Amino acid sequence: MDHIHLSKRLQAISSFIEAGERVADIGTDHAFLPIYLVQQRINFAIASDIGAGPVAIAKQNVADAGLTAQISVRQADGLASIMLDDAISTVVIAGMGGQLMTDILEAGQPQLDGTETLVLAPNRHQYDVRLWLDQHGYGIIGEDIVEDEGHIYELMAAGRTRPDVPYSEADLRFGPILRRQKSPTFMKKMHREAEKTEAVLEGLADAQMVPLEKIREQEKILSLIKEELDAHDER
């Protein structure tokens, strides 16, 4: 197999991983990320997936790349694929929703010793992931946001380090580093989120028997989004 060409999303994820790291890619699918990383700058990776089909494809891709000695393909649920003697230093979880991601992290606590860097790329419910990290003693040490084939993805790296000041609600919803950088892609997503939240509120206004708490929650989110947009306009 020739050198892997990663999608823009996977390329952004790979940028968080330094040379020499020992990586576990959870939900690896075709093992493209581990293959790329071993070809470029690391010596060992676990390519793990819960499904027999993805594992079979990953094994074939790893074999075609001639990397069976450096990449261990395993079928397992979440972090159960990681063993103590693997000495994993970076765990990558991507390509799934934030709620499933936090379930995997919660169930996989015995596999983590707190020294690992977590590289996470939830495709929705990013707030749930940041909230889980905050509640479990992780600080966000890196973030990126990329648009790939019409979808906007938020990426984050976290470690056992506390921020200088506690995260605000806006930090947890939109990302503490992304909020500071306010890249064009971030602002594009903020505009999308404002439109989507306004549509949700309109729908709730037309519905019958909607809990007031849900309306207030959406109004709060919309207010936070508009603060981000206003802060950008004032720059």
Side-chain angles (χ1 to χ4, degrees):
M1 177 183 287
D2 294 332
H3 283 279
I4 290 287
H5 176 72
L6 297 181
S7 68
K8 192 174 180 180
R9 177 180 67 93
L10 287 178
Q11 186 67 55
I13 292 171
S14 77
S15 69
F16 286 108
I17 300 166
E18 298 180 357
E21 295 294 311
R22 294 175 66 85
V23 176
D25 183 28
I26 308 302
T28 194
D29 200 19
H30 292 177
F32 289 152
L33 181 64
I35 292 170
Y36 173 85
L37 290 169
V38 171
Q39 287 176 338
Q40 295 293 321
R41 56 183 178 274
I42 70 172
N43 298 316
F44 176 77
I46 296 169
S48 174
D49 206 286
I50 193 172
V55 166
I57 294 171
K59 284 183 176 179
Q60 187 61 57
N61 287 341
V62 169
D64 290 346
L67 297 175
T68 53
Q70 294 103 315
I71 300 176
S72 176
V73 182
R74 304 174 186 178
Q75 183 175 355
D77 188 358
L79 303 186
S81 61
I82 301 174
M83 305 301 164
L84 184 62
D85 59 2
D86 292 322
I88 293 300
S89 56
T90 300
V91 176
V92 177
I93 312 178
M96 65 189 71
Q99 293 173 342
L100 176 57
M101 192 172 288
T102 58
D103 288 345
I104 288 173
L105 289 168
E106 191 66 41
Q109 288 298 285
Q111 275 72 43
L112 301 175
D113 63 15
T115 64
E116 305 91 350
T117 298
L118 304 180
V119 178
L120 309 173
N123 51 29
R124 58 188 178 279
H125 300 133
Q126 293 86 359
Y127 172 77
D128 293 338
V129 176
R130 293 193 188 96
L131 183 61
W132 187 93
L133 292 171
D134 188 48
Q135 292 174 340
H136 288 78
Y138 286 87
I140 294 171
I141 56 179
E143 286 186 304
D144 197 4
I145 185 167
V146 296
E147 185 169 9
D148 190 1
E149 296 186 352
H151 297 281
I152 294 178
Y153 299 96
E154 296 177 27
L155 324 170
M156 62 195 81
R160 288 281 191 176
T161 176
R162 303 301 299 166
D164 293 335
V165 296
Y167 292 130
S168 66
E169 180 72 8
D171 287 332
L172 295 175
R173 288 213 171 269
F174 312 129
I177 298 172
L178 297 180
R179 290 184 66 220
R180 287 203 308 268
Q181 295 173 338
K182 285 187 168 52
S183 71
T185 305
F186 175 80
M187 297 312 301
K188 183 176 182 177
K189 182 168 186 182
M190 286 296 96
H191 282 289
R192 284 186 183 179
E193 291 296 316
E195 292 173 0
K196 184 170 72 174
T197 308
E198 286 169 348
V200 169
L201 281 167
E202 288 176 9
L204 292 174
D206 293 337
Q208 295 181 351
M209 303 295 292
V210 177
L212 187 61
E213 180 181 349
K214 185 167 182 62
I215 295 175
R216 295 288 180 262
E217 178 190 15
Q218 292 299 312
E219 288 176 339
K220 180 181 178 182
I221 293 172
L222 182 59
S223 176
L224 290 171
I225 293 171
K226 287 185 174 180
E227 286 178 11
E228 295 300 314
L229 295 173
D230 290 343
H232 179 263
D233 291 341
E234 291 171 2
R235 283 178 138 185

